[in-house]
Amino acid sequence: MSPEAPVPILEYDHTDQCEGMAQNVRNNLLSFGCDVYIMTNELKPIKTRYVDSRSNQQLMRFDENDEVADFGWDLPEKTYPTNITCHETPLGDPFDAMVISDYDKGFLSEEKIFELVDWFDGPVFIDSKKTKLPKRNCFIKINELERSKLKGKYSNAIVTKGSQGAEYKGVSYLGIKVPCFDVAGAGDTFLAALTYFYLESGRIELAIPYANRAASIAVQHPGTYILTQDDVDDLRN
C-alpha cells in the first residue's frame, strides 16, 4: 500500500492484449469455421484492466475511446452492402445469419438496430445493452441485469445466468459449474456458440446448451478467450 494514500502500489509484471466486444464474437465464430464479415467503428474502445496476478483481483479499469461514431450509412433495399471489407474480401454473397453485438457506445442507434432486423432476410442474434429492442424476427441474448432494464416483455429473450445457465420461454437450461477465473467476454462466447449451433441444428432450444458449455470454457481463462480447435471439437462431441 502507498504511504501517501490508501491505494495499492502496482509492480509491473506483464501485459496481455486481446480483442473484445464485437471482435471477440467474430474471433469465436471463426473458431467454429464460419466465414465472418464484420462491420464496426474505426475508433476502437480500449479497456485497460490492472489485475493482481496472485489473487486475480481486478484493481482498476481505465477506459479510452469510450464514445464512438455512429453507423454512418443507409442500408440498401433488401440487398447486401458491397463497400465494406474484412480481410480485404468484399462482401457480396448472402449471409446465413446476422449478429449484432452492441455495447451501446454510439455506433448503433436504437433505430438502426430495428432497421437492421427488418432489413435482413435470415436469423438475427442480438446482444445489446439498450433498453428497447426488436421483439420479432430475432433472438436476444441478454443477462439478468440487462433484462431487468428492458422496457416491456420479450418472449424472444435468452437470459443468461452465469453458472446457473440460461432461460428461454420459461425453460431453464442448466449451466456447468466450473472454476471461474474471469467472466470478461463470456457473453461473447455464448453468443458466438449460440449462433453457430442454431445454424447447425435449426433449433434455438438445441443451441442454448452448447452456448452454456462454450461460456463455461471461457470463464476458466483470464481475459477475453477465443475458443481453440480442441474446445470446438469437445463441444461437438
Side-chain angles (χ1 to χ4, degrees):
M1 298 297 291
S2 170
E4 303 167 354
V7 296
I9 299 174
L10 303 183
E11 181 179 341
Y12 178 80
D13 185 279
H14 70 282
T15 298
D16 291 327
Q17 292 184 332
C18 52
E19 293 182 306
M21 300 186 172
Q23 292 287 0
N24 190 35
V25 179
R26 168 191 172 273
N27 290 337
N28 276 287
L29 283 169
L30 290 174
S31 294
F32 285 108
C34 299
D35 293 324
V36 183
Y37 298 91
I38 188 167
M39 180 172 56
T40 187
N41 53 280
E42 294 180 359
L43 184 64
K44 293 183 178 180
I46 299 173
K47 302 180 185 301
T48 304
R49 298 176 176 88
Y50 296 87
V51 181
D52 175 55
S53 58
R54 290 174 298 179
S55 64
N56 195 44
Q57 176 66 48
Q58 185 177 153
L59 303 175
M60 186 182 76
R61 194 181 84 181
F62 178 66
D63 291 1
E64 302 172 79
N65 301 336
D66 218 35
E67 297 295 329
V68 300
D70 62 16
F71 194 83
W73 56 276
D74 295 327
L75 292 169
E77 183 65 25
K78 290 298 180 182
T79 56
Y80 297 91
T82 58
N83 61 334
I84 301 167
T85 60
C86 179
H87 294 307
E88 305 301 321
T89 303
L91 297 185
D93 294 332
F95 305 103
D96 294 311
M98 174 184 286
V99 182
I100 300 174
S101 177
D102 170 44
Y103 280 72
D104 203 17
K105 300 296 183 181
F107 182 63
L108 284 176
S109 65
E110 180 181 288
E111 293 76 16
K112 185 60 70 175
I113 290 179
F114 276 82
E115 185 181 349
L116 284 165
V117 172
D118 290 339
W119 170 76
F120 184 70
D121 291 321
V124 180
F125 298 82
I126 302 174
D127 184 358
S128 174
K129 296 185 181 298
K130 288 183 173 56
T131 59
K132 184 179 180 181
L133 295 168
K135 294 184 178 182
R136 295 188 300 175
N137 304 325
C138 64
F139 297 106
I140 296 173
K141 175 267 164 195
I142 197 165
N143 62 37
E144 289 186 287
L145 176 60
E146 293 163 346
R147 176 62 184 89
S148 69
K149 297 179 180 179
L150 273 182
K151 298 175 181 178
K153 295 182 179 180
Y154 289 77
S155 62
N156 59 334
I158 300 166
V159 184
T160 57
K161 301 181 176 182
S163 62
Q164 297 179 29
E167 182 178 326
Y168 176 64
K169 291 186 179 296
V171 178
S172 295
Y173 296 82
L174 296 179
I176 303 171
K177 292 185 177 181
V178 295
C180 182
F181 195 89
D182 194 336
V183 298
D188 300 331
T189 307
F190 183 100
L191 181 62
L194 183 74
T195 303
Y196 173 78
F197 285 105
Y198 174 81
L199 292 176
E200 186 177 73
S201 67
R203 294 182 57 191
I204 199 68
E205 296 85 357
L206 296 179
I208 294 174
Y210 285 107
N212 278 336
R213 289 173 57 193
S216 73
I217 294 172
V219 299
Q220 297 181 67
H221 299 83
T224 55
Y225 180 70
I226 303 172
L227 296 173
T228 66
Q229 187 59 57
D230 287 342
D231 294 331
V232 172
D233 291 342
D234 288 342
L235 285 170
R236 286 172 173 155
N237 295 330

